[in-house]
Amino acid sequence: MATSSGNSSGSQLHNSGSEGDLQHVIDQRKRKRMQSNRESARRSRMRKQQHLDELTAQVAQLRKENGQILTSINITTQHYMNVEAENSVLKAQMAELSQRLDSLTEILNYINGNNNINSNNNGVFETEPAGQLLQTGSTAADHNSSFTMNPWNNLLYSNLPIMATADMLQY
């Protein structure tokens, strides 16, 4: 009997040894898995941080582009406003010049219908036919005074701008 008890205690030792080895293997696997999980979590955090850095850089780049676009829009709007103002001025000038042309055309039509124009007098309007002034015995001085007395000849000077200085306009 003694031998059987010795055998049973030997198998218990053998079983506890293999249980210790098994426990050791399980613990080693756990540590290995924990280490692997830590490395995986560290890599995941690094990927997240890298992604966050990329997004932050992209936000900065997009803000910069938005600023450039806004600046471009402001410059274009200013150019548009300048062109609109210049266009308004040109339209006003065109209306004024059209009105002047209509007036001058009306005057020419009136003159051509009622008076003669001497082609040798450079656009000076005469109320008498050419040659009659000097045929009646009048002198060149009389001809000059006749020039200033004719109201149509004063139209040549009516389109000149009137200039005024600030000291002329006092309250």
Side-chain angles (χ1 to χ4, degrees):
M1 274 214 202
T3 56
S4 66
S5 68
N7 281 344
S8 67
S9 68
S11 66
Q12 282 180 354
L13 283 177
H14 180 67
N15 284 344
S16 59
S18 58
E19 282 181 21
D21 288 341
L22 185 62
Q23 188 65 35
H24 178 67
V25 169
I26 291 173
D27 288 344
Q28 194 174 16
R29 285 183 183 168
K30 271 187 181 177
R31 281 193 298 272
K32 197 174 184 181
R33 204 172 332 124
M34 285 174 58
Q35 183 65 28
S36 174
N37 287 346
R38 284 186 189 123
E39 285 296 318
S40 177
R42 186 183 66 78
R43 285 191 306 269
S44 177
R45 284 190 302 270
M46 286 177 62
R47 278 193 308 271
K48 283 183 181 178
Q49 184 63 43
Q50 184 179 7
H51 185 64
L52 182 64
D53 292 344
E54 289 171 0
L55 289 176
T56 303
Q58 187 178 8
V59 165
Q61 178 65 27
L62 291 173
R63 284 186 177 163
K64 180 181 176 183
E65 288 176 14
N66 280 348
Q68 291 172 345
I69 290 170
L70 284 175
T71 301
S72 176
I73 288 172
N74 289 337
I75 290 170
T76 304
T77 302
Q78 186 63 39
H79 285 301
Y80 172 77
M81 291 172 59
N82 291 342
V83 167
E84 280 291 316
E86 185 177 353
N87 192 26
S88 295
V89 168
L90 291 174
K91 283 181 179 180
Q93 288 175 346
M94 184 186 75
E96 180 184 347
L97 291 174
S98 294
Q99 186 179 9
R100 281 185 179 182
L101 179 63
D102 291 344
S103 297
L104 289 173
T105 303
E106 186 178 320
I107 291 169
L108 284 175
N109 289 338
Y110 176 77
I111 292 170
N112 287 335
N114 294 329
N115 298 313
N116 292 327
I117 300 178
N118 184 353
S119 61
N120 295 330
N121 62 4
N122 298 325
V124 174
F125 303 115
E126 294 181 358
T127 56
E128 299 178 27
Q132 280 188 356
L133 285 176
L134 295 178
Q135 286 178 358
T136 59
S138 59
T139 63
D142 292 335
H143 178 69
N144 286 339
S145 67
S146 171
F147 172 79
T148 58
M149 296 302 288
N150 187 345
W152 293 112
N153 291 327
N154 292 333
L155 288 175
L156 296 174
Y157 305 106
S158 65
N159 287 332
L160 296 176
I162 299 172
M163 304 300 277
T165 59
D167 57 340
M168 292 174 62
L169 305 172
Q170 296 185 3
Y171 300 112

